[in-house]
Amino acid sequence: MTRIARLTSDDQDFVAVLADAARILQGGGTVAFPTETVYGLGADATSAEAVARIYAAKGRPAFNPLIAHVANLEAAALQGLFSTEASMLAEAFWPGPLTLVLPLATSASVCALARAGLNSVALRIPRHPIARALIETFGRPLAAPSANRSGRMSPVTAAHVFEDLNGAIDLILDGGPASVGVESTIIACLDEGPRLLRPGGLTRQDIETVLKRPLEDRVAAGSSHAAPLIAPGMMASHYAPHAQLRLDALTREPQESGLDFGGRFAPAAEVFDLSPRGDLIEAAAHLFDYLHRLDQLGKPVIAVAPIPHHGLGEAINDRLRRAAAPR
Ligand code: TXA
Ligand code: MG
């Protein structure tokens, strides 16, 4: 059963409860916490195993990229590259209900699974005092999607989180109802000017006032290449390996490299096993890293062993099918 810890900012146990939550996060566990928009389901954004537990708890059929929550601008600048306009938005609206999608910085520590393999990163500094205190106590970026099961509504109370995720996560920090109640506004500041990816708690008008120009929508009129570059859930077009993928391979041919699961292929330098013991959480944690490394070997075909379709297997198979799709 999942524990619930009630806390208010003048609670005398505040520091002890947060230290406990940070310990759970350091151990790779999952903690739901209030933000001013909705409750988030947090895990260590720098650990693929920890992030895999978020996807497992949510029962997501695919790996959506997650927002990395950070404590301050310095921490954000280690993860993402800020254009002038991105900096203007950050200065104006952080902490608050704004998420910026930025090119990944070379100093970034947010793991590939949290980014769903993209070379961009979604960053947010939340305003809620419990969220901020948790991130500061933990000291690392906190990956957190909304704390609901996949396909359900975003939770705005600890009770909503408990209904959806009891038994699937370690701890819920109850800080009362979320005040904004809708998710953050997401703006991509990639190679083009700012684009609205998701409307949310911060209005278009507020953003345009700061930018002093109209905010463009996700897909520019007449643009053919911009859409797949930034659309959420379209990871295949972001990171597709150069090599072809041969799925459900029962054996590996000598000219192929291999992405194994559960020790099916004979061990070799060009074979990476997602999880020799057949654990789907471990497999998810390794997926993007191993695909990158196999691609770098330069073999034209990667043989991919069958992955069971239950639990995180569904999301792993979804990602592999996208990567294998003809282009
Ligand atoms: O208010 C919120 O934003 C809440 C709180 C917990 O912060 N979080 C939230 O997360 O709504 P989630 O996972 O439910 O939605 C995050 C959205 C997804 O639609 C995802 O595709 C998009 O952010 N996203 C994350 N990283 C991205 C990236 N690199 N490029 C494009 N979209 C990205
Ligand atoms: Mg959500």
Side-chain angles (χ1 to χ4, degrees), residues 45-324:
T46 70
S47 158
E49 289 244 358
V51 170
R53 293 204 181 96
I54 292 180
Y55 293 111
K58 284 187 64 98
R60 269 195 172 164
F63 297 126
N64 289 340
L66 305 179
I67 299 169
H69 298 71
V70 293
N72 51 50
L73 278 173
E74 295 70 48
L78 284 175
Q79 306 299 326
L81 298 174
F82 283 77
S83 64
T84 308
E85 284 180 307
S87 295
M88 285 161 61
L89 293 173
E91 294 280 350
F93 300 116
W94 277 350
L98 169 70
T99 294
L100 292 173
V101 173
L102 305 177
L104 193 69
T106 49
S107 52
S109 55
V110 172
C111 69
L113 185 62
R115 294 179 279 108
L118 306 182
N119 54 13
S120 57
V121 63
L123 296 169
R124 173 169 173 223
I125 304 179
R127 186 197 304 278
H128 196 289
I130 294 175
R132 302 197 67 189
L134 178 65
I135 300 162
E136 265 162 30
T137 308
F138 177 49
R140 277 180 231 156
L142 198 55
S146 49
N148 51 284
R149 287 194 71 80
S150 179
R152 306 279 304 257
M153 276 187 317
S154 292
V156 291
T157 65
H160 292 163
V161 179
F162 188 78
E163 270 167 39
D164 253 23
L165 296 175
N166 179 25
I169 64 179
D170 296 312
L171 176 67
I172 300 172
L173 298 179
D174 181 356
S179 58
V180 177
V182 296
E183 293 92 340
S184 61
T185 300
I186 306 183
I187 297 186
C189 297
L190 298 171
D191 10 312
E192 299 162 315
R195 280 179 195 282
L196 182 64
L197 295 192
R198 178 179 77 182
L202 183 68
T203 67
R204 175 190 287 276
Q205 289 72 27
D206 284 342
I207 293 159
E208 291 179 342
T209 303
V210 167
L211 293 177
K212 298 193 175 63
R213 63 162 162 136
L215 180 63
E216 295 194 61
D217 282 326
R218 185 160 103 190
V219 183
S223 154
S224 55
H225 68 281
L229 243 137
I230 50 177
M234 297 193 64
M235 294 80 82
S237 11
H238 278 263
Y239 175 64
H242 299 292
Q244 277 196 335
L245 264 55
R246 186 166 68 82
L247 300 183
D248 297 317
L250 301 180
T251 55
R252 179 180 68 89
E253 304 300 324
Q255 72 280 8
E256 298 174 328
S257 58
L259 185 65
D260 202 0
F261 179 84
R264 175 178 294 271
F265 303 152
E270 62 273 30
V271 171
F272 291 106
D273 195 328
L274 289 170
S275 174
R277 62 190 156 104
D279 179 289
L280 288 163
I281 290 185
E282 183 184 34
H286 289 148
L287 180 65
F288 291 103
D289 183 38
Y290 286 4
L291 274 176
H292 267 285
R293 290 212 247 162
L294 286 167
D295 212 22
Q296 276 161 8
L297 295 179
K299 298 235 181 197
V301 180
I302 303 172
V304 182
I307 316 279
H309 208 62
H310 59 86
L312 278 188
E314 192 179 351
I316 295 171
N317 283 318
D318 169 82
R319 182 62 187 80
L320 287 169
R321 268 199 311 279
R322 289 166 186 269

